[in-house]
Amino acid sequence: MSAAWQVVVGLETHCQLATASKLFCGCANAFGAAPNTLVCAVCSGQPGALPVLNREALDLGLRAALALGCNVAPRTKFDRKHYFYCDLPKGYQISQYDQPFCTGGGIALASGKFVRLARIHLEEDAGKAIHDRGAHSLVDLNRAGVPLIEAVTEPDLSSAAEAHEYLTALKEILQFAGVSECDMEKGSLRCDVNVSVQRPGGARGTKVELKNLNSFANVAAALEHEVARQIQSLESGGEVRQETRLFDAEAGVTRTMRTKEDAHDYRYFPDPDLPLFTLDEAHVARVRSYLPELPAARRARYVKALGLSAYDAGVLTASRATSDYFEAALRHNDAPKELANWLTNEVAALFSDAASGVRSIDELPFKPFDFAELVELARTGRVTRSGARTILRAMCAQPRAPRELMRELGLETVADSGQLERWCREALLGREKIVADVRRGEEKALGALIGPVLKLSGGKADPKAVREKLLELIRAS
Amino acid sequence: MSDATALERVDAALERAARLEARLHAFLSLDAAGARRRAAELDAHSGPRGALHGLPFAVKANLCWSGVETNAGSALLAGYRAPYTATSVQRALDAGAVALGVANMDEFGFGSSGENSAFGPSRNPWDLARTPGGSSSGAAAAVAAGSVAFALGSDTGGSVRQPAALCGVSGFKPSYGRVSRYGLIAFASSLDCVGVLAPDVERVASVLGAISGADERDSTCLPEPSCSAPAPRSLQGVRIGAPREHFGAGVDPRVAACVRAALSELERLGAQVLEIDLPHTHAAISTYYVVASAEASSNLARYDGVRYGKRERGDGSLQGMITATRSSGFGAEARRRIALGSYVLSSGYYEAWYVQALKVRRLIARDFERAFERVDVIAGPTSPSLAFALGERSADPLAMYAGDALTTPASLAGLPALSTPCGLVREGDSDLPVGLQWIGPHGADEFVLALGAAWQRASAHHLARPALAQEAQR
């Protein structure tokens, strides 16, 4: 039944810019400080205080615009958007209404579909209101005045999966460009969804806005539920009301927050405290020259020039930190496949293991140089893979050169052929049936012999060398 | 007096201000202890003296003064102590002036009579039954009574010039952006100017020299150095434009005659007076009330009872609290302007009202640009009427607004404008001052002040003082 319906989705995404200070005052832009400690006369809306634009915010916004291929307006202005709420100190938010600083641009999805951006504008964040701590509401203004960009797409998305993919790509790009942390848990990335359903070729359906979506998974889940709700309503002869709905992640439903009748008239007008500001071409060019290589370009290069799989390239570029780490290691060890393999498997495993004490790439206590060396030791058989894994763990606890740790822990593989032969001969004793199998050409059976040798060696024998030695001994016997 | 110590001057000023307060109600508060402490510090300090050394001054209640109740004449901000000091006030203090107290005013600057102060009106030292003008009502009364050497006020549509005219003192509104607005409690951001009231233009100029100049905390402040003291100059050959529209219907004939006489004096001093036209003058009041109210409705949105000032519980909900706080906290005129301003900004009306007003504002500015191709300065009455009786217009907002007809054009165009006393008119038992308004091209602040000072050197109108001031002199 739902095949007969088209889903039309547009996203409005707010990202906090990673500036040192707020958009219109000198207060620090930081997450997690004690409530109301990062406030001043300006961002707490004291009478007589005036905003002064933080040019760093403008430059970060510009970087986002350039990374997303937008057109930058040569002149732009700020407007006041009015509404009353306890977390909005001035009774208006300084935002941009009819002249956003950039328009156009967009993101290409894997399918080849291009999701167009209508605009990106710059605005200040509100504070935070907390209503569930007793009789009184609490207000924390640390966030008030933090710079945000709001990126608004055209209604080009047609499924929850596409919305998810777009958000993932947007996050990657903004992180790579150093524009925003894009951490939904900290609220540095927030997303509102507009969704309607319509018959193919039919009139555009009534748009519903979804709010309170605190993860990409929730965006997708809310969309699934809302699309189903709208279709069911229409198919049972009902209608879709224009309204704003909140997603209840636990119940998995959306609920009416406000209807069109309560829609605000924000009474936008140009902020007379802030003059028009200009972005001259030379400045735009300068900001453009500082843009790093973006994830899509990096991924393509990893596949083409480094010969990585598309999957590995994707995992490596999922975060700027991982990708940068990989590239740094690559400068010391020209073995992209091995580095990628170690980074996406063994290093990634550390993050999910509490015992390692390392939760993300940023927390790795050792330098890419040491990591590159470790991979080299494993690649050349100086340590076994399991030995290298042990060294990796040791490097987390005490960031020292892997070569040193290898010696200290006695993990260097034994290259002494005589010793290797003694271990192999010992392992062959009493395993005549397996030896016979191998001789009959069942090389798979050899595995049952390699294990005991490694055990006898205490992990110091290189499995490859053991395998060769065993074959040699069996053939000779 | 110039040999007196700062402490002696401040003590004398405090004594006079306190003695006259029951009659004038010029002040909302006097900071006697702070002023005396500061004066003693100045006397003890042996280094170079600031340009305003030891001068006691009044601070209009909408200029933030750290630690002092800065309530802008509003019940909503009763008890609000500013956490910082306005740039203009700080610069006056840094130049050695001593802040004596907070001057009364119409709530947030909304008014031309001082009657919209939530704390009772100030009275005119020339006639206690009359208004000192507004909104810098207390500032003008305090200067006219001789209680302070100068006052810092604010002028959005005439709030320094009109009370200066009605109280017989000199009052100056600088070019928009010449003095930082940081710490000036906003009424209409694109019009608001910090201004100066003083007994004569020379004093006005020295205060302006101290408080003007670039300020990185106000993005609309001009990136220019502070105004320099105007060099003495003559009026010889100065072309003065007298706008026909400033002497027409609605202007008290006695006021018009007094100003015409002053223009004749200026001609005798060598100036050339030319009749000019400012054809959009008639649209100034309506344009002003659309633009200023729109901005005011926005600037006053922060008074919601959440963070500071008065709070009414209402029905206990957030919206209920905000509504109750604003309904009872703002006076009638503030509520009227918020309603008007919200209307002209609302969707569907914005283009027809606000955008249209901006277009007319541009036309008014162009009138001036054209006029300044022919003349050096424009002169006419500051206020169309003499000081009126308290209560006379308070029930008729439109009559009150009409009083701004001659001051709002320069505000809309952002031009420097000065009011200087130009004579007295006898009404009943009182002599009432008349003000001559000088309007110069944008940025010509020093020039306008130089002309005013030249005239005051050659005339005596500015020396007239109300009887009350002389009595207090004793």
Side-chain angles (χ1 to χ4, degrees):
Chain A
M1 82 180 177
S2 52
W5 293 94
Q6 263 180 359
V7 177
V8 179
V9 177
L11 298 181
E12 295 171 11
T13 312
H14 287 90
C15 301
Q16 286 183 345
L17 299 178
T19 52
S21 57
K22 294 186 180 180
L23 185 52
F24 296 115
C25 65
C27 290
N29 168 14
F31 180 80
N36 296 311
T37 53
L38 307 178
V39 293
C40 69
V42 176
C43 61
S44 67
Q46 298 296 316
L50 296 171
V52 176
L53 178 64
N54 172 359
R55 300 293 297 203
E56 189 198 2
L58 195 54
D59 282 353
L60 284 189
L62 194 53
R63 231 195 263 186
L66 296 173
L68 291 162
C70 310
N71 309 310
V72 176
R75 279 153 69 84
T76 178
K77 66 175 171 80
F78 283 105
D79 301 284
R80 294 182 180 179
K81 174 182 181 178
H82 299 87
Y83 62 93
F84 288 112
Y85 198 63
C86 57
D87 64 8
L88 189 69
K90 298 186 294 296
Y92 59 82
Q93 177 192 29
I94 303 179
S95 180
Q96 296 192 284
Y97 180 51
D98 54 344
Q99 292 175 36
F101 81 97
C102 76
T103 53
I107 291 178
L109 303 183
S111 64
K113 177 189 253 193
F114 189 73
V115 181
R116 292 166 302 155
L117 283 170
R119 59 185 280 165
I120 300 181
H121 68 253
L122 206 51
E123 64 186 23
E124 57 177 349
D125 210 341
K128 214 179 209 166
I130 299 152
H131 301 295
D132 56 359
R133 310 259 174 94
H136 296 280
S137 292
L138 303 175
V139 178
D140 177 7
L141 295 181
N142 284 352
R143 202 179 71 179
V146 163
L148 294 175
I149 49 171
E150 179 176 346
V152 182
T153 71
E154 298 288 356
D156 287 352
L157 298 153
S158 43
S159 68
E162 281 188 0
H164 194 281
E165 188 186 347
Y166 162 84
L167 286 170
T168 307
L170 178 70
K171 176 178 165 170
E172 277 176 12
I173 291 169
L174 296 180
Q175 283 179 337
F176 263 72
V179 168
S180 171
E181 268 191 72
C182 293
D183 185 338
M184 273 191 127
E185 275 176 25
K186 293 183 187 169
S188 61
L189 187 121
R190 303 193 286 271
C191 182
D192 297 336
V193 176
N194 287 303
V195 55
S196 62
V197 298
Q198 66 190 56
R199 293 289 187 188
R204 173 65 55 87
T206 305
K207 191 170 75 176
V208 168
E209 186 179 23
L210 303 178
K211 283 186 180 285
N212 199 31
L213 307 168
N214 52 16
S215 69
F216 291 178
N218 272 351
V219 169
L223 260 171
E224 303 275 11
H225 283 106
E226 177 58 19
V227 166
R229 187 192 69 85
Q230 289 187 17
I231 291 173
Q232 198 198 4
S233 171
L234 293 171
E235 290 192 340
S236 60
E239 53 168 24
V240 173
R241 271 196 308 175
Q242 186 176 337
E243 60 183 350
T244 300
R245 298 176 71 86
L246 289 181
F247 181 59
D248 180 339
E250 268 170 45
V253 295
T254 62
R255 293 196 180 93
T256 297
M257 176 187 160
R258 59 169 181 255
T259 58
K260 192 191 174 190
E261 290 74 50
D262 336 308
H264 282 113
D265 179 354
Y266 292 117
R267 304 194 317 279
Y268 282 100
F269 84 113
D271 192 328
D273 287 333
L274 293 161
L276 286 176
F277 55 96
T278 53
L279 292 163
D280 64 80
E281 273 177 46
H283 184 72
V284 173
R286 201 157 46 242
V287 172
R288 193 190 300 274
S289 71
Y290 295 147
L291 269 189
E293 187 186 27
L294 295 170
R298 257 189 213 197
R299 263 195 295 279
R301 181 164 58 84
Y302 287 0
V303 172
K304 257 190 216 140
L306 303 180
L308 300 186
S309 70
Y311 176 79
D312 278 351
V315 175
L316 287 177
T317 53
S319 88
R320 166 107 187 245
T322 307
S323 175
D324 284 352
Y325 198 93
F326 169 70
E327 305 233 340
L330 196 61
R331 277 196 287 278
H332 302 295
N333 184 356
D334 190 23
K337 284 186 189 167
E338 286 78 2
L339 287 172
N341 186 299
W342 272 83
L343 212 47
T344 56
N345 291 304
E346 304 302 343
V347 174
L350 295 174
F351 306 151
S352 50
D353 178 1
S356 76
V358 179
R359 284 163 301 177
S360 71
I361 194 99
D362 308 302
E363 292 181 7
L364 282 180
F366 47 86
K367 297 271 181 296
F369 173 81
D370 292 322
F371 171 67
E373 194 193 355
L374 175 68
V375 172
E376 187 60 11
L377 292 174
R379 189 179 73 85
T380 54
R382 296 281 308 277
V383 296
T384 62
R385 189 167 181 106
S386 87
R389 212 178 280 140
T390 307
I391 297 172
L392 184 66
R393 301 242 156 201
M395 286 164 76
C396 291
Q398 39 173 181
R400 288 165 51 199
R403 206 175 286 269
E404 264 177 56
L405 288 166
M406 172 181 78
R407 292 204 188 100
E408 203 162 290
L409 299 168
L411 290 169
E412 195 167 3
T413 48
V414 172
D416 173 359
S417 178
Q419 177 63 59
L420 201 60
E421 190 170 328
R422 278 192 291 281
W423 284 328
C424 288
R425 286 190 185 284
E426 197 178 337
L428 289 174
L429 291 176
R431 292 192 170 90
E432 285 76 12
K433 186 179 175 304
I434 304 174
V435 171
D437 288 346
V438 173
R439 238 187 233 123
R440 266 205 315 277
E442 280 188 43
E443 287 211 2
K444 265 190 270 172
L446 202 58
L449 293 170
I450 294 172
V453 177
L454 294 180
K455 196 167 179 194
L456 283 167
S457 77
K460 290 187 203 174
D462 176 16
K464 229 160 82 186
V466 169
R467 179 188 177 84
E468 276 159 22
K469 181 59 78 181
L470 282 169
L471 278 174
E472 183 192 316
L473 291 173
I474 291 169
R475 286 197 193 108
S477 63
Chain B
M1 199 62 180
S2 57
D3 293 338
T5 63
L7 186 57
E8 283 165 352
R9 281 202 221 183
V10 164
D11 274 337
L14 280 168
E15 186 276 325
R16 179 186 294 215
R19 181 151 44 79
L20 295 177
E21 186 53 20
R23 278 177 279 174
L24 294 179
H25 192 30
F27 289 94
L28 295 176
S29 67
L30 283 167
D31 181 22
R36 299 189 75 246
R37 199 182 323 117
R38 177 76 185 126
E41 274 170 24
L42 287 168
D43 287 332
H45 185 69
S46 57
R49 293 182 160 195
L52 307 179
H53 180 86
L55 295 182
F57 74 107
V59 180
K60 189 176 179 179
N62 59 355
L63 285 164
C64 289
W65 178 1
S66 181
V68 172
E69 179 167 334
T70 303
N71 60 36
S74 178
L76 218 152
L77 282 179
Y80 173 74
R81 289 178 189 277
Y84 69 101
T85 298
T87 299
S88 54
V89 175
Q90 189 59 53
R91 287 181 179 175
L93 295 172
D94 291 346
V98 180
L100 214 64
V102 175
N104 199 359
M105 62 180 287
D106 285 297
E107 180 175 18
F108 291 108
F110 303 147
S112 314
S113 70
E115 293 164 293
N116 294 329
S117 167
F119 307 100
S122 300
R123 294 170 184 276
N124 192 319
W126 293 85
D127 180 342
L128 296 175
R130 292 174 189 269
T131 168
S135 67
S136 304
S137 51
V143 172
S147 303
V148 289
F150 70 92
L152 293 185
S154 67
D155 188 314
T156 304
S159 282
V160 160
R161 291 163 284 160
Q162 184 257 16
L166 269 44
C167 287
V169 302
S170 299
F172 183 61
K173 177 200 98 69
S175 296
Y176 181 78
R178 206 63 208 265
V179 178
S180 168
R181 291 188 294 118
Y182 190 76
L184 167 63
I185 297 182
F187 160 4
S189 312
S190 76
L191 296 156
D192 290 344
C193 294
V194 174
V196 183
L197 300 100
D200 57 55
V201 174
E202 221 154 309
R203 176 74 51 75
V204 169
S206 60
V207 175
L208 190 73
I211 67 171
S212 57
D215 179 11
E216 60 183 18
R217 285 194 276 206
D218 174 3
S219 315
T220 62
C221 197
L222 298 170
E224 283 168 32
S226 57
C227 295
S228 47
R233 57 161 299 145
S234 91
L235 291 157
Q236 191 65 44
V238 173
R239 295 169 303 167
I240 299 175
R244 260 181 277 273
E245 296 81 0
H246 286 210
F247 293 89
V251 179
D252 183 326
R254 297 168 296 171
V255 169
C258 187
V259 171
R260 291 252 181 235
L263 291 176
S264 302
E265 284 176 37
L266 288 166
E267 275 185 318
R268 282 197 292 282
L269 292 167
Q272 187 188 349
V273 176
L274 304 164
E275 292 263 301
I276 59 161
D277 286 303
L278 296 172
H280 295 94
T281 300
H282 68 277
I285 292 183
S286 42
T287 303
Y288 171 81
Y289 276 93
V290 171
V291 173
S293 302
E295 294 184 22
S297 72
S298 172
N299 285 325
L300 267 53
R302 68 185 61 194
Y303 306 111
D304 55 9
V306 173
R307 294 164 311 285
Y308 47 74
K310 182 188 165 92
R311 176 188 291 178
E312 288 285 335
R313 223 185 119 67
D315 65 6
S317 72
L318 175 65
Q319 291 304 325
M321 182 275 279
I322 293 174
T323 304
T325 298
R326 292 170 64 82
S327 301
S328 69
F330 287 127
E333 185 60 25
R335 293 200 304 277
R336 185 176 296 124
R337 304 231 186 164
I338 292 169
L340 178 59
S342 301
Y343 177 79
V344 301
L345 288 181
S346 54
S347 98
Y349 300 93
Y350 178 81
E351 294 286 329
W353 289 98
Y354 183 71
V355 173
Q356 182 65 16
L358 292 187
K359 287 180 190 159
V360 180
R361 181 177 187 175
R362 191 63 222 126
L363 293 176
I364 290 168
R366 212 157 61 197
D367 278 359
F368 282 110
E369 285 159 20
R370 292 214 175 114
F372 286 125
E373 290 167 7
R374 287 183 58 214
V375 299
D376 302 311
V377 69
I378 289 167
T382 306
S383 161
S385 71
L386 300 166
F388 45 92
L390 289 166
E392 189 182 317
R393 296 182 186 173
S394 39
D396 186 353
L398 286 181
M400 194 71 94
Y401 296 175
D404 304 330
L406 308 179
T407 46
T408 47
S411 297
L412 289 164
L415 306 180
L418 171 71
S419 180
T420 55
C422 69
L424 299 170
V425 168
R426 185 86 188 161
E427 188 167 277
D429 295 334
S430 306
D431 286 318
L432 299 175
V434 175
L436 170 74
Q437 177 175 229
W438 310 69
I439 302 171
H442 188 264
D445 300 57
E446 286 103 331
F447 174 68
V448 171
L449 291 169
L451 295 183
W455 190 42
Q456 291 191 342
R457 271 194 301 278
S459 66
H461 300 298
H462 64 292
L463 301 176
R465 289 285 174 270
L468 172 142
Q470 284 147 21
E471 159 224 328
Q473 204 94 41
R474 283 184 302 173

